[in-house]
Amino acid sequence: MTTTTETTRSAVHRAILPIPITTARALIIIGGALTAASAFLSWTWTSAFPGDLTVDGYPGGLQWLTFAAGVLTAVFGLAGHGIRGLRRLNPAGSSSAELLLAVGGLAVTWFTLGAISVELGGLVNLTVGGWIAGIAALVPVAGALGLPIEGEPGSATSRGSALWRHIKNHPSIKPTRPLPAYAEILIIAAVLAVGLGLFTYGIDTGYGELFVGFLITVVFGAWALYSAGLTDQLSAITARHRSVTAIGAFAAAAAFPFTQSSDQYTSIGVNVLIFATVALGLNIVVGLAGLLDLGYVAFLGVGAYTAALVSGAATSSLHIVFPWWAAALTGAVASMVFGLLIGAPTLRLRGDYLAIVTLGFGEIFRIAVSNFDGVTGPNVTGGPNGIPNIPDISVFGIDLGKSHSLGGFTLGRFSNYFLLMLLFTAIVVLVFTRASDSRIGRAWIAIREDETAALAMGINGFRFKLLAFALGAGLAGLAGMVQAHMAFSVVPDPYQFAGSVPPNSAFLLAAVVLGGMGTVSGPLVGAALLYLIPAKLQFLNDYQLLAFGVALILLMRFRPEGLIASRRRQLEFHEAEQPILQTTEEAGLTKAKA
């Protein structure tokens, strides 16, 4: 069945574009260069379209994305052509990488031309440069479609053994060697620098069209790198240098406020960190212990309200003032106590029953804090009005609410809170990694995989599940303290199961599943995307959640294990592919023996 399908695909493929491989490679290289060069032409007559695409000789706005896509397409075309020094860019020998980059360049170029036509009122607003860009973006796609499909005769994967024999017989052509340790560390530093640049560019996009084009380019670029095998190589390198990677990642994150000239977008950054930290705490409950918690955002609310009550707010019913670190510990302990109180009577339930109970707890918390207003209940939380006028945090005499200068850079209020929240994120990451690698973490994983078998092996399931529930709640309480001070007030509305603005329980759970359950970086990346995308797609108005939902459906269809998945989950979701691979290997061995 599989062989017949591949043969049919190959026949159709050759019938559509029957061109030689050499010609196809030339089209990819030349087409990528032409696509990049077209970004230096004017695409419209008027500067009314954002980015001012009327200038010849210099890209602007969305043209920079077309330029980047064209350059990457040409470079990968040269790598596929066998240019010395570029073979490492496509270790898998995949023609799909070149096709994805070419399609990404075509998509962002035609999206820009379409946006110009729609917003300015027709194709008449395109100049000759715009038409040249649209046609040039087609050339590398045509070339990439002319390459053989992986697995058919003449493709890169089928030529692997022949290429290796050719290398061995020609000493002038040497296979790629393992890199020394210092080179791998430099690669990690370069990747982190590129990641910081991409995040900064994405968060600084000033209009919706630029952000959509940025998403298109990043999605196709990341997909191409995955197809080329570069992401697997990077994972292996980071696994060999975990400490360097962790330190470098936090150093890159700490450098983000210094890339901003104002606090306009730093506020998004600190909210992303809060959302990501809470998602990582939920990952202990869902990703490691396998407990479906639909009311987890309530623990964030417990930490926020507790910190507001003990931080000297004018409307606080307790009228006490704790130092910032004591307020943080108080919020974390209060959330942990609530986790124990809720988990003790409910964690003997499993599956859907546990999910329903946690969903009920989340709603009970929101309704309770709304009623503790002194009218329908005791005056504790201020009811629907919440607790306003929460003072800023003072760390060692430094008021985080005021701007400060450091090394010639001015750090505003949100930059200060970003760095404080980054400290809490580092603590949460440390707790998560130490817990997951310990005996407790192995017990959680055993319960997640099969609780009955874990109980039979002597694991106290209830005790370990209660520990996961309490620890996850305590980590959420830490983030709640920063959120309360940064927002100046705490109100009950955000702490619900679902809503248009994160964080809420549905978005937190989606961040864990989307990023990759059971990993450290997965929920951080997933939370960053889930917060950043809605914040930047506000121009879609009523269609914002529709577009967001479609994107999630597509991602879960093509990447069900998450963006950054553990090896275990990759094998679970692609278990059906393993027998095919084994059969192919066995067939090769049988043929060799014959």
Side-chain angles (χ1 to χ4, degrees):
M1 177 70 70
T2 305
T3 305
T4 304
T5 304
E6 291 296 333
T7 304
T8 304
R9 285 181 60 205
S10 301
V12 173
H13 189 265
R14 287 191 294 268
I16 295 175
L17 286 172
I19 57 178
I21 296 179
T22 307
T23 305
R25 294 285 184 196
L27 287 176
I28 294 174
I29 298 169
I30 296 173
L34 290 176
T35 302
S38 68
F40 290 85
L41 302 175
S42 64
W43 289 6
T44 181
W45 301 102
T46 173
S47 59
F49 187 81
D52 192 6
L53 309 184
T54 64
V55 180
D56 285 312
Y58 187 81
L62 284 156
Q63 288 177 326
W64 280 110
L65 301 175
T66 295
F67 173 76
V71 169
L72 288 175
T73 303
V75 170
F76 269 77
L78 291 171
H81 194 64
I83 300 299
R84 184 183 298 274
L86 295 179
R87 289 198 302 269
R88 289 185 183 271
L89 292 178
N90 195 352
S94 171
S95 60
S96 299
E98 295 156 274
L99 177 60
L100 288 168
L101 288 172
V103 172
L106 176 68
V108 70
T109 302
W110 282 22
F111 166 76
T112 305
L113 301 178
I116 292 173
S117 302
V118 171
E119 293 191 19
L120 301 184
L123 296 174
V124 69
N125 292 282
L126 297 178
T127 62
V128 176
W131 291 103
I132 291 176
I135 297 173
L138 287 170
V139 177
V141 176
L145 289 174
L147 294 177
I149 300 173
E150 275 79 1
E152 76 171 39
S155 68
T157 52
S158 68
R159 297 197 311 267
S161 58
L163 177 61
W164 175 247
R165 289 194 300 270
H166 176 69
I167 290 173
K168 287 200 303 181
N169 295 331
H170 293 77
S172 60
I173 304 177
K174 298 181 180 180
T176 56
R177 298 178 179 177
L179 295 173
Y182 74 88
E184 292 184 341
I185 293 176
L186 290 177
I187 289 175
I188 294 174
V191 170
L192 292 175
V194 171
L196 174 62
L198 289 176
F199 181 77
T200 302
Y201 186 90
I203 208 171
D204 287 348
T205 49
Y207 48 97
E209 295 83 357
L210 182 60
F211 184 74
V212 172
F214 170 74
L215 277 184
I216 293 173
T217 307
V218 169
V219 167
F220 278 99
W223 196 355
L225 296 181
Y226 174 77
S227 299
L230 286 177
T231 55
D232 292 335
Q233 284 198 348
L234 180 62
S235 298
I237 291 174
T238 55
R240 290 193 292 269
H241 305 279
R242 291 185 179 179
S243 299
V244 174
T245 303
I247 294 173
F250 281 103
F256 168 72
F258 298 93
T259 65
Q260 304 296 303
S261 57
S262 67
D263 262 3
Q264 180 180 1
Y265 297 115
T266 314
S267 60
I268 299 178
V270 66
N271 279 294
V272 165
L273 265 186
I274 293 173
F275 190 23
T277 304
V278 178
L280 191 57
L282 178 61
N283 197 26
I284 293 178
V285 181
V286 177
L288 293 182
L291 306 174
L292 185 56
D293 188 351
L294 299 182
Y296 184 77
V297 75
F299 298 121
L300 176 68
V302 171
Y305 269 98
T306 302
L309 288 171
V310 300
S311 296
T315 56
S316 172
S317 58
L318 299 183
H319 304 292
I320 56 177
V321 182
F322 284 0
W324 70 272
W325 56 269
L329 290 177
T330 305
V333 171
S335 297
M336 190 174 296
V337 170
F338 268 86
L340 291 172
L341 293 177
I342 299 301
T346 61
L347 285 179
R348 300 188 187 277
L349 301 173
R350 298 185 185 181
D352 299 338
Y353 300 102
L354 177 61
I356 292 172
V357 170
T358 55
L359 176 61
F361 163 66
E363 289 302 304
I364 289 172
F365 169 79
R366 183 178 61 84
I367 295 172
V369 296
S370 297
N371 290 331
F372 289 165
D373 56 355
V375 179
T376 56
N379 185 14
V380 178
T381 63
N385 295 325
I387 303 176
N389 301 321
I390 301 174
D392 284 305
I393 296 174
S394 180
V395 181
F396 302 118
I398 301 175
D399 188 353
L400 300 188
K402 299 179 180 179
S403 299
H404 301 88
S405 296
L406 181 63
F409 295 92
T410 301
L411 299 178
R413 179 175 183 273
F414 290 112
S415 297
N416 298 329
Y417 278 103
F418 180 91
L419 295 176
L420 177 64
M421 192 62 227
L422 185 61
L423 174 62
F424 286 134
T425 304
I427 295 173
V428 174
V429 169
L430 179 63
V431 171
F432 181 90
T433 52
R434 298 294 293 176
S436 62
D437 294 337
S438 66
R439 183 176 62 88
I440 296 174
R442 292 194 294 271
W444 285 337
I445 294 174
I447 294 172
R448 182 193 69 191
E449 297 298 324
D450 193 330
E451 185 173 353
T452 303
L455 293 175
M457 295 302 294
I459 296 176
N460 190 328
F462 174 75
R463 182 194 303 171
F464 282 104
K465 289 193 294 184
L466 188 61
L467 178 60
F469 218 68
L471 182 58
L475 297 180
L478 280 177
M481 188 276 292
V482 179
Q483 184 191 45
H485 285 276
M486 186 199 68
F488 283 125
S489 64
V490 182
V491 292
D493 290 341
Y495 307 109
Q496 53 186 325
F497 171 70
S500 58
V501 179
N504 53 64
S505 293
F507 268 70
L508 289 171
L509 184 61
V512 174
V513 177
L514 170 68
M517 294 198 303
T519 63
V520 176
S521 54
L524 299 179
V525 173
L529 290 176
L530 290 187
Y531 192 93
L532 185 60
I533 292 176
K536 289 294 183 178
L537 293 184
Q538 294 180 357
F539 71 98
L540 292 178
N541 298 325
D542 296 336
Y543 298 98
Q544 177 183 347
L545 289 179
L546 175 62
F548 185 64
V550 171
L552 286 180
I553 292 172
L554 292 176
L555 185 60
M556 289 296 98
R557 167 60 182 85
F558 294 104
R559 187 73 175 175
E561 66 270 26
L563 292 174
I564 304 177
S566 63
R567 182 61 178 167
R568 181 194 301 270
R569 292 189 62 81
Q570 283 183 325
L571 293 175
E572 288 176 356
F573 279 99
H574 300 283
E575 185 177 359
E577 301 174 8
Q578 303 305 316
I580 298 176
L581 296 176
Q582 294 173 1
T583 303
T584 304
E585 294 174 359
E586 292 171 359
L589 291 175
T590 304
K591 184 177 179 181
K593 292 179 180 179

